[in-house]
Amino acid sequence: MSLSIGIVGLPNVGKSTLFNILTKKQVEASNYPFCTIDPNVGVVKVPDERLDKIAQISQPIKIIPTFIEFTDIAGLVKGAHEGEGLGNQFLSHIRECDAICEVVRDFKDPNVIHVNGEIDPMGDQETINMELIFADLKTVEKRLEKVAREIKSGDKEIAKQKEILEKIKTLLDQGKAARELEIKEEEKVFIKSLSLLTIKPIIYALNSDDTEKSTDFNWDGEAIRINVKMEEEIAKLPEEEQAEYMKELGIEKSGLDKLISASYKLLGLETFFTTGKDETRAWTIKKGSKAPQAAAEIHTDFEKGFVRAEVINWEKFIEAGGETKAKDLGMIRTEGKDYIVQDGDICNFLINK
């Protein structure tokens, strides 16, 4: 399953540096606007202590985590919806992503130029979000013009589309994102066809030199404080030394890991596991996926040939001390095609080949 999160923000807020740390893939991160023009894509391991605990029991040859994709998108500026600063190109890159991670600057550094000349997290967030709103307004107004011509035919579906578009336009005119709209099930397909930017789920990464400050900004998404400079220092260390260094700093979980985990949940994703002597692996599914859909993540043919699933919660697996003992204790359940796989399930799928 390939779902991506676009990293956006004003120039010089730490986007590309954050991306470099996230992906360990070096992209240019210079101290001037528009140094990143083409989007850079990186695959990021999702931290999950459950995977390691399961592997301690199974003792597999391989341990494979689950991943999400981040796209580094060049800095947006005021007027981007009108093409300022290569805005149209960058907005199209955001359109291709499934969710948005908006990096907002809240650190002071006289050596790093702020595009607006002052540190103002609230103002920066408003600048970026208004550009996305203005871009969506253009989209909606253009579609309304088309619908106005077609509605004369008396088509009821066109009339419904007009009603939805007008609701969205009202919201955007108020300076609110389309994600705040209450969407009915029957409206989802049409709204998806609009490819709106502000309909995408959003998370805010506050690049801060004080991670203890409050994140109560009353924004339309979760805000996580992360000291990108410090995270960069941690990332430069060998992996086996990072935990010790964090312990010295009094950090239980890095801001980076918090951001990755929160981004994973933002996409509506959950994890199930498979385990054995050869491999212990984490698999990504959309929340609410049924057992055959989960099996298809392992191999597409498994959905068609699905017979049943043997399921145990990962904590029960640890408690039992492994699959054999769990079976003896009657802790492994048999589930059919309608079973909705839960986050943390360990599954063994029986397939009719």
Side-chain angles (χ1 to χ4, degrees):
M1 178 177 291
S2 179
L3 294 173
S4 65
I5 295 183
I7 303 176
V8 305
L10 293 172
N12 300 337
V13 297
K15 292 183 300 77
S16 293
T17 305
L18 176 62
F19 177 82
N20 289 344
I21 308 165
L22 278 166
T23 64
K24 305 296 191 296
K25 175 182 176 182
Q26 293 302 309
V27 296
E28 188 177 4
S30 302
N31 182 26
Y32 56 89
F34 317 127
C35 66
T36 311
I37 295 175
D38 296 317
N40 294 272
V41 178
V43 176
V44 180
K45 179 174 71 174
V46 177
D48 196 329
E49 63 180 15
R50 298 174 299 181
L51 183 66
D52 295 326
K53 290 179 179 179
I54 294 166
Q56 285 173 12
I57 300 293
S58 299
Q59 294 293 304
I61 296 169
K62 292 189 293 184
I63 302 173
I64 304 175
T66 190
F67 299 88
I68 55 173
E69 193 177 274
F70 282 89
T71 301
D72 181 34
I73 298 170
L76 291 170
V77 292
K78 192 171 184 178
H81 69 285
E82 295 175 338
E84 290 294 329
L86 302 179
N88 290 333
Q89 183 181 345
F90 300 155
L91 290 171
S92 71
H93 293 154
I94 299 171
R95 214 177 295 279
E96 292 166 8
C97 295
D98 301 286
I100 296 170
C101 172
E102 185 173 322
V103 183
V104 180
R105 178 173 173 175
D106 195 20
F107 68 89
K108 295 177 181 178
D109 187 340
N111 297 314
V112 181
I113 302 160
H114 189 290
V115 72
N116 291 331
E118 63 177 344
I119 309 304
D120 179 12
M122 294 287 287
D124 291 358
Q125 184 262 2
E126 185 179 0
T127 296
I128 293 295
N129 286 12
M130 287 308 297
E131 288 306 316
L132 302 184
I133 286 169
F134 287 142
D136 279 353
L137 264 172
K138 276 189 172 183
T139 299
V140 170
E141 286 169 353
K142 189 175 180 181
R143 184 60 82 86
L144 271 170
E145 288 174 9
K146 183 173 183 287
V147 166
R149 294 192 297 270
E150 294 174 345
I151 203 167
K152 296 172 185 177
S153 66
D155 190 321
K156 290 183 180 179
E157 187 59 36
I158 298 297
K160 286 180 186 175
Q161 290 180 9
K162 183 174 182 290
E163 184 181 337
I164 295 168
L165 287 165
E166 286 173 343
K167 281 196 298 183
I168 296 172
K169 186 177 184 303
T170 298
L171 202 63
L172 296 172
D173 282 336
Q174 293 170 355
K176 296 178 181 178
R179 71 181 70 88
E180 295 187 36
L181 184 71
E182 289 186 21
I183 302 172
K184 298 175 184 176
E185 190 63 36
E186 62 270 20
E187 297 174 340
K188 287 182 179 179
V189 174
F190 173 66
I191 291 174
K192 187 177 180 181
S193 74
L194 298 172
S195 298
L196 298 174
L197 299 170
T198 64
I199 202 74
K200 298 178 188 296
I202 193 166
I203 188 168
Y204 296 96
L206 280 156
N207 186 4
S208 175
D209 43 19
D210 182 1
T211 55
E212 299 301 315
K213 285 168 68 176
S214 169
T215 56
D216 186 18
F217 284 99
N218 196 29
W219 290 344
D220 60 340
E222 184 179 0
I224 293 176
R225 282 197 179 275
I226 178 168
N227 186 328
V228 173
K229 190 175 181 179
M230 185 176 69
E231 296 287 343
E232 187 176 29
E233 291 174 6
I234 294 171
K236 285 177 181 177
L237 294 172
E239 198 164 333
E240 61 273 13
E241 295 179 19
Q242 291 180 13
E244 187 61 35
Y245 183 57
M246 285 169 56
K247 190 176 179 181
E248 289 176 12
L249 294 172
I251 302 170
E252 289 184 16
K253 187 176 182 181
S254 75
L256 198 65
D257 282 351
K258 290 177 185 176
L259 179 63
I260 295 168
S261 298
S263 299
Y264 188 75
K265 290 178 181 176
L266 182 72
L267 290 167
L269 301 178
E270 292 184 334
T271 302
F272 76 90
F273 304 94
T274 54
T275 189
K277 290 298 179 186
D278 292 332
E279 175 184 283
T280 294
R281 183 165 182 164
W283 300 88
T284 298
I285 52 172
K286 289 289 286 183
K287 188 175 182 178
S289 295
K290 292 185 178 180
Q293 295 170 303
E297 290 300 320
I298 299 173
H299 195 291
T300 52
D301 291 345
F302 284 9
E303 184 170 11
K304 187 177 180 182
F306 179 89
V307 177
R308 62 183 182 275
E310 295 175 343
V311 182
I312 182 171
N313 175 268
W314 75 277
E315 289 179 307
K316 294 290 184 184
F317 179 87
I318 301 296
E319 181 187 322
E323 183 181 355
T324 302
K325 289 183 182 178
K327 281 184 175 179
D328 291 343
L329 293 168
M331 297 169 75
I332 296 180
R333 314 184 311 274
T334 298
E335 301 287 358
K337 292 182 178 181
D338 291 330
Y339 175 69
I340 295 174
V341 176
Q342 301 299 304
D343 186 57
D345 278 349
I346 298 175
C347 299
N348 178 34
F349 298 109
L350 282 76
I351 306 300
N352 184 1
K353 297 179 181 179

